[in-house]
Amino acid sequence: MAKFKKIFSFILRLLSLAATVVAIVVMVRSRDSTQVLNLTFTAKYSNTPAFKYFVIAEAIASVYTIIVILLILCSESLLGRLIVILDMVITVLLSTSITAALAIAQVGKKGNSHAGWLPICGQVPKFCDQVTVSLICGFVAAVFYFVLLLISLHAVLSPIFAVKP
């Protein structure tokens, strides 16, 4: 059973790595331009601090995942407990970054009539579509990390709560 958990954890880590890398690549490449009154406006991820934070958080998660995959996971050692703590940090980091980016994406899509912010997705649909794909991948990575956190917690806490005859 322990071998199955390690294999499942390894596969989840590979899937989360793929999701974070795709989220980074799509977000960094998101760009669209429009012309209004002979002025050209360009929408790109680097114009918004929340999107920058999203990319940085996804990059941190990607690097962490690569490091953990390269290490030999041993849930009975101190390394296993450190991985649980770091899995929790990465899960929270991904959750906060996706939340911030989703808030900005919502304003870009719907606008905010109370603040006088107009929606921009009608003018730059390619940019909004790319941001949507990136946010979906980021959300998938966050879900994978939440499942990894549960698996890591179970692996570390099982020996503590095991009933010994």
Side-chain angles (χ1 to χ4, degrees):
M1 187 68 168
K3 187 160 181 100
F4 173 74
K5 284 182 190 175
K6 285 188 180 184
I7 292 171
F8 186 63
S9 175
F10 180 76
I11 290 170
L12 270 178
R13 288 187 192 280
L14 284 178
L15 290 172
S16 65
L17 176 64
T20 56
V21 169
V22 169
I24 292 168
V25 170
V26 173
M27 183 64 84
V28 169
R29 295 180 51 94
S30 64
R31 160 177 261 155
D32 199 3
S33 297
T34 188
Q35 253 191 345
V36 177
L37 301 173
N38 291 331
L39 297 173
T40 302
F41 294 99
T42 303
K44 52 188 174 180
Y45 92 97
S46 59
N47 293 341
T48 308
F51 290 161
K52 288 181 190 177
Y53 173 58
F54 176 77
V55 169
I56 291 168
E58 297 290 320
I60 290 169
S62 297
V63 170
Y64 167 73
T65 305
I66 291 169
I67 291 170
V68 170
I69 287 173
L70 294 177
L71 293 174
I72 297 174
L73 297 176
C74 182
S75 62
E76 289 80 35
S77 71
L78 183 61
L79 182 62
R81 292 186 180 154
L82 177 64
I83 287 173
V84 170
I85 294 168
L86 293 176
D87 280 350
M88 187 177 304
V89 169
I90 294 298
T91 302
V92 170
L93 182 68
L94 289 175
S95 298
T96 59
S97 73
I98 192 74
T99 304
L102 278 172
I104 294 301
Q106 178 68 17
V107 171
K109 183 176 181 181
K110 302 281 186 181
N112 186 331
S113 60
H114 300 290
W117 298 334
L118 299 173
I120 65 162
C121 286
Q123 287 77 32
V124 285
K126 179 182 164 193
F127 172 74
C128 289
D129 292 343
Q130 290 172 329
V131 167
T132 301
V133 169
S134 180
L135 293 177
I136 290 170
C137 290
F139 182 75
V140 167
V143 169
F144 285 157
Y145 259 99
F146 181 71
V147 173
L148 277 169
L149 176 62
L150 294 177
I151 291 170
S152 297
L153 282 171
H154 184 266
V156 169
L157 295 177
S158 288
I160 294 172
F161 295 113
V163 177
K164 296 181 183 179

